[in-house]
Amino acid sequence: MPRQGSDYWPAIEKPIRKSLDEYANVGFCLFEEEWEREASAVAIPLILEEGAEVMAINCGGSSL
């Protein structure tokens, strides 16, 4: 996804909000060709030591 100025926000706001809702409901985010055509990804948080350390685990690949 190309980096652009604040004018780009309306184009990405909807998928970001969808991801936040998805995380709140199921605990992970799934992207199927939303950000990059022909690519899909899944991401989950890994929260260690009662929140002292937060990391992400993600996996992406071709949708073809």
Side-chain angles (χ1 to χ4, degrees):
M1 174 171 47
R3 179 176 259 196
Q4 298 182 6
S6 61
D7 293 340
Y8 194 58
W9 175 248
I12 63 171
E13 180 182 12
K14 186 176 179 180
I16 288 174
R17 294 197 187 279
K18 176 191 166 280
S19 295
L20 291 171
D21 289 342
E22 189 173 42
Y23 170 71
N25 291 320
V26 295
F28 64 91
C29 298
L30 178 64
F31 303 95
E32 295 180 291
E33 300 182 353
E34 293 174 46
W35 293 101
E36 193 70 36
R37 196 172 148 205
E38 300 178 357
S40 295
V42 63
I44 63 167
L46 177 61
I47 303 169
L48 302 175
E49 300 175 18
E50 298 179 16
E53 192 168 359
V54 179
M55 297 181 228
I57 298 175
N58 61 67
C59 181
S62 174
S63 297
L64 300 177

